[in-house]
Amino acid sequence: MTGTAPRHREQPFPRPMAMLAALVAGVALAAVASLTTSLGTIGASGSHAQAAGAPAPTTPERSVETMLHALGEGDVGAACSVAAPDGFPIRTGTALQRCEDGLGRLLDDLEPRELSAYREVVVRGALVEGDGATVEPRHLAHAPVAMHNAVFVLVRAGGAWFVVV
């Protein structure tokens, strides 16, 4: 044997270091995904909100109100214009159709009287942290009783806020 140190580690990689490496990799991946989403939506032409000519809301409060008021009217297309299925704004016709189908099924499960109450909901405040926000039940005024446990998570992309559905 020679007196040089082996090139491989004889002991396992320390668990705290592995956890730290995984955390750093996860944060970096999330940052890249956020940047990609933001850049992708700036020039996106397939989004329902842009196709309809309506600007996407620039506050989390307005995005939640837009979605709830649209659902109260039975307009799943307008609700999907501020939706972010899986955390990404809608940019294709296929994604829009999936959103409309999913929200349509949701509407089928609600009573018309409760649904019409969605039109009166006012959002006062949101917890904003970077490109993410949360609207909690305490932020909802005039909400039907069934919404008193509702929590809305939002993401910001291209300067607009979208409700994660």
Side-chain angles (χ1 to χ4, degrees), residues 42-115:
I42 290 172
S45 60
S47 123
H48 184 273
Q50 292 174 351
T58 57
T59 67
E61 295 86 355
R62 185 69 188 127
S63 291
V64 172
E65 285 178 356
T66 298
M67 177 172 276
L68 293 176
H69 295 178
L71 291 173
E73 295 290 335
D75 187 349
V76 293
C80 287
S81 74
V82 294
D86 302 320
F88 298 100
I90 296 171
R91 292 184 279 157
T92 67
T94 303
L96 176 60
Q97 188 61 51
R98 278 195 312 259
C99 178
E100 289 177 347
D101 291 346
L103 290 181
R105 284 189 299 274
L106 173 74
L107 293 181
D108 291 342
D109 292 339
L110 297 173
E111 291 185 30
R113 191 173 74 206
E114 179 182 345
L115 204 49

Side-chain angles (χ1 to χ4, degrees), residues 23-39 88 131 156:
L23 179 62
V24 168
V27 169
L29 182 61
V32 169
S34 176
L35 178 61
T36 303
T37 300
S38 296
L39 293 176
F88 298 100
D131 286 337
R156 181 172 32 204

Side-chain angles (χ1 to χ4, degrees), residues 13-29:
F13 198 67
R15 183 173 173 95
M17 290 300 278
M19 296 296 286
L20 180 61
L23 179 62
V24 168
V27 169
L29 182 61

